[in-house]
Amino acid sequence: MFLFRQKTYEIQASRKGRWTIEQTSSDPAEAEVAAKALLNKLKDIEAIRVVLDSASEKVLFEQKKPQTKQPLVVPQIEEAPVCAAPDDLYGPQSRKIVNRLFRQYLDKALLTPTEIMHNGREMKRVMDFESIVQTAIDRVARVQKGAEGQDAKKRGDTLWSMVNGISKRANEADKLKLPNIREVGFDEAVKFVMRSAKPEELKFLLRCVFTRELSQTRSWYGKLMQALEWNNATKETASIGLLDDFISDSLGSATLIADLLGQQPTLIDALFKLLDMAEGKFKGPGKGQAPDVVQAEEALCKLMATGRLPASQDILMERVRSELRGPNPLVRNNQIVEQNRFRDFIKHVLRDAGVFGGAGMAEALVHRAATVLEIRSEDHTSELQSLRHLVC
């Protein structure tokens, strides 16, 4: 007489890379059906498989749960500058809005707004990517409705026309035989475009030349350093202002800003350092900063001090204003220290000519004062009186 051991088919599930037995079955077909059902039912598992008992570990069936792709988020905005013509989209205020709306896409592609708008292939990619361009246009149209007597839909149609206009222009530029900076050098490339371009096309074509080189650099640090090196080396004044576009776009990256800041003990310390960078004040390496990042910060501050980077300065100041309007404490777990440091910050930005950072900075300070200093309208604080005078 022979005894036959019945085969057992284990249905195993993987959670965080660890396999556990969920069920067993004596029939392989039934085990596979049950495994698929569990894969759909249990949200916490990564994969499912059917194994011919634990002793043999022979896998008869295995299937991973499909990865759900999260769509990129296009944030809401409260205001946006009104563009009257496609050329206005290249301006610093418009690019600042593009940086906010497309931040997740830009970080994924490692491209700046200026690079995308001057490269036909990249314009097509972003316009074909999910529905982020349509969503961004809707966001802008809502806050701009009524700008020229238009409702949101008409304004959206106008914006679409502008976007299609710069896309067509970028596609046409892709076909042009423009000089390669890597082959002929930066100044020679600039001179070539200055000799051959029509006056109304000069800035656009120079940005196209810069874009073709910078778009090959897929790191924010690399883009910043390349633009700074060009700026320091060039003798062509026509290019200096245009390089501010690329530098300011790079500074729109939170990752790059975090590297430049290094390890700061508190948020208020980080804001003070951002102010220093905006004014071109380099105060030595920060804690945790890599030597190459320190080099980049020093070069940026040196150029910022010349006053030739207005758009880049505004990007840094906008980050300060944004943090002041945000919910994060300036100093954690010590209200007295937070209040004193915030008062020092107010005094630091109050200048004879007004508030450093403009009316937007004044509004942000008043907003933060309501939380930190618990300022009420009837209070009489000299700093806040000065700020309110500028805001109102």
Side-chain angles (χ1 to χ4, degrees):
M1 182 177 178
F2 295 95
L3 295 176
F4 292 94
R5 179 173 170 267
Q6 188 178 28
K7 292 181 179 179
T8 300
Y9 300 91
E10 295 177 354
I11 303 166
Q12 300 180 358
S14 173
R15 293 177 178 84
K16 297 182 179 180
R18 183 179 179 183
W19 291 94
T20 57
I21 300 172
E22 297 292 318
Q23 298 176 17
T24 60
S25 175
S26 59
D27 182 271
E30 289 180 359
E32 183 175 332
V33 171
K36 291 178 179 178
L38 285 175
L39 188 63
N40 293 326
K41 180 181 178 182
L42 302 179
K43 295 182 179 180
D44 63 331
I45 64 174
E46 304 153 352
I48 204 81
R49 69 187 181 187
V50 175
V51 177
L52 176 56
D53 66 58
S54 299
S56 70
E57 283 293 332
K58 182 179 180 181
V59 178
L60 304 178
F61 168 79
E62 184 172 348
Q63 185 173 328
K64 293 182 179 180
K65 182 171 287 185
Q67 295 295 318
T68 55
K69 183 181 178 182
Q70 295 294 328
L72 296 187
V73 175
V74 180
Q76 297 284 352
I77 56 174
E78 296 179 358
E79 59 182 1
V82 177
C83 299
D87 268 7
D88 295 339
L89 295 175
Y90 304 128
Q93 296 306 313
S94 294
R95 294 197 326 275
K96 189 161 61 176
I97 297 299
V98 172
N99 248 318
R100 286 183 58 194
L101 292 171
F102 292 90
R103 190 67 256 164
Q104 289 189 4
Y105 180 87
L106 297 173
D107 286 337
K108 180 182 176 69
L110 282 171
L111 292 168
T112 65
T114 301
E115 288 169 355
I116 289 176
M117 289 190 288
H118 292 77
N119 185 310
R121 183 175 63 256
E122 295 299 341
M123 276 293 296
K124 185 178 187 308
R125 283 179 181 168
V126 70
M127 292 175 75
D128 290 343
F129 189 85
E130 297 175 359
S131 58
I132 60 172
V133 173
Q134 178 64 65
T135 303
I137 286 177
D138 289 344
R139 298 269 195 269
V140 175
R142 285 197 197 99
V143 299
Q144 289 185 346
K145 63 182 180 180
E148 296 178 355
Q150 297 176 321
D151 59 21
K153 184 180 183 307
K154 289 182 178 179
R155 183 59 187 165
D157 292 341
T158 301
L159 291 170
W160 259 118
S161 178
M162 292 183 187
V163 170
N164 286 327
I166 66 170
S167 179
K168 180 181 178 183
R169 193 180 189 188
N171 281 321
E172 291 172 350
D174 282 355
K175 302 172 186 176
L176 298 176
K177 292 184 178 180
L178 296 173
N180 186 311
I181 293 176
R182 198 167 299 186
E183 294 177 357
V184 303
F186 183 81
D187 276 3
E188 286 303 314
V190 172
K191 290 176 183 177
F192 178 91
V193 176
M194 290 179 66
R195 287 194 302 266
S196 57
K198 296 177 181 179
E200 64 271 19
E201 288 289 309
L202 178 60
K203 289 184 178 180
F204 173 77
L205 292 178
L206 283 174
R207 288 195 295 260
C208 287
V209 170
F210 303 161
T211 288
R212 291 186 182 184
E213 180 66 28
L214 282 173
S215 62
Q216 299 178 52
T217 302
R218 296 298 172 124
S219 80
W220 300 117
Y221 166 79
K223 292 176 189 293
L224 175 64
M225 283 304 296
Q226 182 64 84
L228 290 173
E229 287 173 10
W230 286 343
N231 201 300
N232 290 333
T234 185
K235 297 179 180 178
E236 298 299 322
T237 56
S239 65
I240 293 175
L242 297 179
L243 288 173
D244 187 21
D245 296 347
F246 295 92
I247 294 170
S248 63
D249 281 357
S250 297
L251 293 173
S253 164
T255 302
L256 179 59
I257 291 296
D259 289 342
L260 291 171
L261 285 173
Q263 298 173 17
Q264 297 295 325
T266 66
L267 177 56
I268 195 72
D269 287 293
L271 299 187
F272 269 114
K273 182 165 183 178
L274 285 172
L275 289 181
D276 286 339
M277 285 195 291
E279 294 189 272
K281 298 175 181 177
F282 177 70
K283 296 184 177 180
K287 184 178 179 181
Q289 277 186 302
D292 54 350
V293 175
V294 174
Q295 180 186 0
E297 181 192 344
E298 186 173 10
L300 175 64
C301 288
K302 184 177 180 180
L303 190 55
M304 199 77 78
T306 66
R308 297 190 305 197
L309 300 179
S312 299
Q313 183 185 69
D314 187 54
I315 283 290
L316 294 177
M317 297 304 292
E318 179 57 32
R319 191 164 291 276
V320 174
R321 294 189 287 260
S322 177
E323 290 293 343
L324 287 172
R325 291 190 292 263
N328 296 323
L330 300 176
V331 177
R332 293 186 181 276
N333 304 321
N334 195 322
Q335 185 179 11
I336 300 301
V337 172
E338 183 177 32
Q339 290 176 343
N340 290 336
R341 295 294 306 279
F342 181 55
R343 288 192 178 96
D344 290 341
F345 190 86
I346 293 174
K347 293 175 183 177
H348 186 73
V349 297
L350 280 175
R351 312 289 171 85
D352 291 339
V355 177
F356 181 52
M361 178 67 78
E363 292 170 358
L365 289 170
V366 171
H367 177 85
R368 176 64 71 160
T371 303
V372 176
L373 302 179
E374 299 178 350
I375 296 296
R376 301 186 301 256
S377 59
E378 63 267 24
D379 287 338
H380 300 286
T381 302
S382 59
E383 295 95 342
L384 269 298
Q385 283 182 328
S386 300
L387 293 171
R388 285 198 181 96
H389 176 72
L390 287 172
V391 173
C392 299

